[in-house]
Amino acid sequence: MRIWPPRNALLVGAVVGVSVLTGCSSESPSQQSSAPASPTSPAAPGSANLVSASVDVPGDLTQSPFDEPRQALIPDGWTISVWARIPKARLETWTPDGALLVSAPASGQILKLTPKAGAAPEQSTLLDGLDQPHGMAFAGSVLYIAESDQIDAYDYVNGAATNPRTVAADLPDARSPELNGAYAHALKSVAVGPDGAVYFSIGSTGNISAEDRDADPPRATVMRIPPGGGPAEPFATGVRNGTGLAVAPDGSLWTAVNNRDNAPDPDGNVDTQYVNEHPPEALARLTPNRELGWPYCNPDGGPADLPFIRDMSTNEDGSRMDCAALPPVEQSFGAHSAPLGLAFTTGVLPQPYAAGALVGVHGSWNRQPPRAPEVSFFPWRDGTLGDQQTLVGGFQADDGSRWGRPVAAVVGPDGAVYISDDYADAIYRLAPPGR
């Protein structure tokens, strides 16, 4: 199968640092405890001073889990509030005219939140009837949306999305005949490079489904459509589930990857203690033909410059791939963190958050004890990313119960951070002092 954009597909302008993501967890919110949780989740090493703060909730937004007081861990002097309630809110991007778009794959909608001074945002539906819309990215006034089976472009004019055209069609999802209704990572991501190239992710169908590498188009990849259109071709391979996909300040493309579950230890045993910490989730810079190893090689160690080691269930003797020859992964999260939304910010937030990457960390779905959800920050230094820090935590208590699971975090035109949460059905506004 070849993926052809229409000849009239145009790319306009340069991308801003926006994130788009696919989920790694097959778990629904109803599968988890909703017991009250106090903010006891530990912060990542090297985090700035975080304090416990009440989540401010307007009176008309107090449905569960905000029918009782909630506490979050946030930077000292900052505030956090519930800005809007959106069922199963996923990825976010800001429009050129200052509205926040939120994808809702479960309902097939792209929702629009227009800020109102001193009042709740005005909520409307930008697009409806889509197939699991997830990732979004603007290139000038052109809006790209990743559905489960195609990538679409729209002209964003006068607050409306018009002139739809498909730039990549026939992408695999659960309806693809060869997959027989099974697809663990059907949600897609999209980003636009400064040269106008369009990038999108195709997740793996399962945990270690090696047949994805030989599919047409190959799954577990990040694909690239060249500037001005043309057939999509693999840009990076072995990317199990490249949830976060965003462009850094220097124009490089980065992805946050959800890696495999139940990895055997070096002796070939599936041991809970080993599985809990392996393999780390990758945060990687993508370059042409970058290979991230899945399912034959896994990153190991960390937090930075992680080498690859053989996967003992798929590549025990190293014959499938020479893992030692792969370039190391730039950054990482703890195993089973489930990083989703990835976005870059520069020059808006106060120090130490002025330049870096924001990542919505969804938290584990099957690790015991559970890996806690949070919003992470990675500082941008000398053309690469420093180690993980916690920007917002406290969503999980010591007993593993949770009241929220962040998906994405993007900086708004007012200098605040807007965070989507598909477990609490909320959009939070995290505000630095004075904003």
Side-chain angles (χ1 to χ4, degrees):
M1 172 171 45
R2 303 196 75 185
I3 307 172
W4 290 92
R7 295 182 182 273
N8 65 344
L10 299 178
L11 304 171
V12 182
V15 70
V16 295
V18 189
S19 150
V20 280
L21 348 50
T22 19
C24 93
S25 167
S26 59
E27 179 192 38
S28 67
S30 62
Q31 291 173 288
Q32 292 211 350
S33 168
S34 60
S38 57
T40 57
S41 306
S47 300
N49 183 33
L50 301 181
V51 299
S52 179
S54 297
V55 179
D56 182 56
V57 186
D60 57 343
L61 302 181
T62 55
Q63 303 84 8
S64 179
F66 304 107
D67 51 350
E68 58 183 277
R70 298 295 176 182
Q71 300 281 314
L73 296 174
I74 62 175
D76 193 8
W78 295 40
T79 59
I80 187 168
S81 60
V82 176
W83 192 59
R85 302 299 301 270
I86 293 180
K88 296 179 171 57
R90 292 290 288 187
L91 302 191
E92 307 168 297
T93 191
W94 286 93
T95 67
D97 57 357
L100 182 66
L101 300 185
V102 181
S103 65
S107 62
Q109 296 176 308
I110 301 295
L111 301 173
K112 181 180 179 182
L113 297 174
T114 303
K116 297 293 182 183
E122 177 186 342
Q123 182 172 326
S124 60
T125 300
L126 183 74
L127 293 166
D128 202 352
L130 305 180
D131 290 323
Q132 293 182 288
H134 199 232
M136 302 170 290
F138 272 97
S141 61
V142 177
L143 171 63
Y144 291 88
I145 295 175
E147 298 187 64
S148 64
D149 59 345
Q150 63 190 38
I151 309 298
D152 301 316
Y154 296 81
D155 294 328
Y156 185 80
V157 181
N158 297 325
T162 63
N163 188 29
R165 57 267 190 199
T166 298
V167 298
D170 300 323
L171 303 182
D173 65 8
R175 296 168 298 180
S176 301
E178 70 273 17
L179 298 179
N180 299 312
Y183 203 150
H185 305 128
L187 300 181
K188 307 292 191 294
S189 305
V190 65
V192 186
D195 63 349
V198 176
Y199 301 88
F200 61 92
S201 65
I202 302 180
S204 70
T205 57
N207 191 37
I208 51 170
S209 43
E211 62 272 16
D212 289 333
R213 295 184 66 105
D214 299 319
D216 184 16
R219 300 182 287 267
T221 59
V222 172
M223 305 290 285
R224 179 181 185 268
I225 301 171
E233 299 291 345
F235 185 73
T237 52
V239 186
R240 179 178 176 270
N241 189 20
T243 52
L245 198 62
V247 176
D250 65 352
S252 59
L253 183 71
W254 289 70
T255 186
V257 184
N258 288 247
N259 280 320
R260 66 161 294 181
D261 295 325
N262 299 318
D265 65 22
D267 295 324
N269 302 311
V270 179
D271 174 78
T272 298
Q273 187 174 3
Y274 184 85
V275 166
N276 274 351
E277 305 303 332
H278 297 86
E281 314 276 46
L283 181 55
R285 182 198 303 267
L286 298 184
T287 53
N289 302 312
R290 177 83 191 259
E291 173 61 63
L292 291 183
W294 178 90
Y296 304 122
C297 305
N298 299 315
D300 189 57
D305 299 322
L306 289 74
F308 284 88
I309 60 173
R310 296 193 304 275
D311 189 299
M312 299 304 287
S313 60
T314 61
N315 189 27
E316 183 175 2
D317 62 2
S319 62
R320 300 305 300 266
M321 186 175 289
D322 182 1
C323 303
L326 299 180
V329 172
E330 287 76 8
Q331 269 296 341
S332 68
F333 311 79
H336 318 296
S337 292
L340 297 182
L342 170 64
F344 286 86
T345 182
T346 56
V348 178
L349 300 179
Q351 294 291 352
Y353 309 108
L358 297 168
V359 188
V361 174
H362 212 219
S364 63
W365 71 277
N366 64 347
R367 183 184 187 272
Q368 293 300 327
R371 185 79 69 182
E374 67 169 59
V375 176
S376 294
F377 176 81
F378 291 79
W380 180 256
R381 298 170 181 160
D382 301 322
T384 192
L385 289 172
D387 294 348
Q388 180 186 16
Q389 302 174 21
T390 301
L391 179 65
V392 186
F395 298 96
Q396 177 174 301
D398 287 340
D399 64 2
S401 60
R402 297 165 171 166
W403 59 266
R405 301 183 76 183
V407 176
V410 295
V411 177
D414 60 349
V417 181
Y418 290 79
I419 302 163
S420 60
D421 184 330
D422 65 349
Y423 186 71
D425 297 334
I427 305 295
Y428 309 110
R429 183 180 186 268
L430 175 71
R435 298 183 187 176

